[in-house]
Amino acid sequence: MSCVVRIMSPLVLAVLLLSAAVSRPAMAHAILVRSTPVEGATVAPGAMDILLTFNSRIDSSRSRLTLTGPDGTATVLPLGAPAVDQLNGHASLTQGAWVLRWQVLAVDGHITRGDVRFKVGLPTAEAP
Ligand SMILES: [Cu+2]
């Protein structure tokens, strides 16, 4: 036995096994759990505080509230003091149909968005 053979083993199999092992932790996107105004509600005209609560921590500096009024004009609302899982703002509302659009960056790095549709009307008059 005078022959020495050196074999360079390829690492191909190891690389394949590693790529198959990739898995992401299951973290929640931000989902709206509570809102003022409530979806489908009719609220009184005038000043209103807006408050949206989510199921997870959010980055409010990279989140946005947009309010679209009855005339179709969309306005990005200045946000109030940041909270861990909430967005808040303030608006002055006239009668008609409104859409509050939220876009939120959650701590898992995913952006979610949705609409809260509501109406602004005068309080229902009492029956004569
Ligand atoms: Cu996510």
Side-chain angles (χ1 to χ4, degrees):
M1 296 300 226
S2 61
C3 184
V4 176
V5 178
R6 292 184 180 163
I7 300 172
M8 301 275 289
S9 297
L11 295 175
V12 174
L13 278 179
V15 171
L16 286 176
L17 287 174
L18 277 177
S19 65
V22 172
S23 66
R24 300 178 130 198
M27 296 180 71
H29 310 312
I31 296 170
L32 184 66
V33 294
R34 210 161 45 244
S35 71
T36 303
V38 172
E39 164 79 25
T42 298
V43 302
M48 183 181 65
D49 291 322
I50 291 167
L51 181 63
L52 303 182
T53 303
F54 298 89
N55 67 327
S56 73
R57 297 173 64 93
I58 61 171
D59 182 346
S60 59
S61 69
R62 298 188 186 186
S63 300
R64 189 165 53 185
L65 290 180
T66 308
L67 194 57
T68 302
D71 64 356
T73 303
T75 305
V76 176
L77 294 181
L79 295 177
V84 166
D85 61 352
Q86 292 181 320
L87 289 180
N88 69 86
H90 192 77
S92 185
L93 305 174
T94 54
Q95 280 184 258
W98 292 75
V99 180
L100 176 64
R101 175 157 294 180
W102 54 269
Q103 177 175 305
V104 166
L105 176 67
V107 285
D108 70 351
H110 295 153
I111 293 173
T112 49
R113 55 179 71 85
D115 291 339
V116 175
R117 295 169 186 279
F118 63 99
K119 288 195 170 76
V120 175
L122 296 173
T124 307
E126 290 180 24

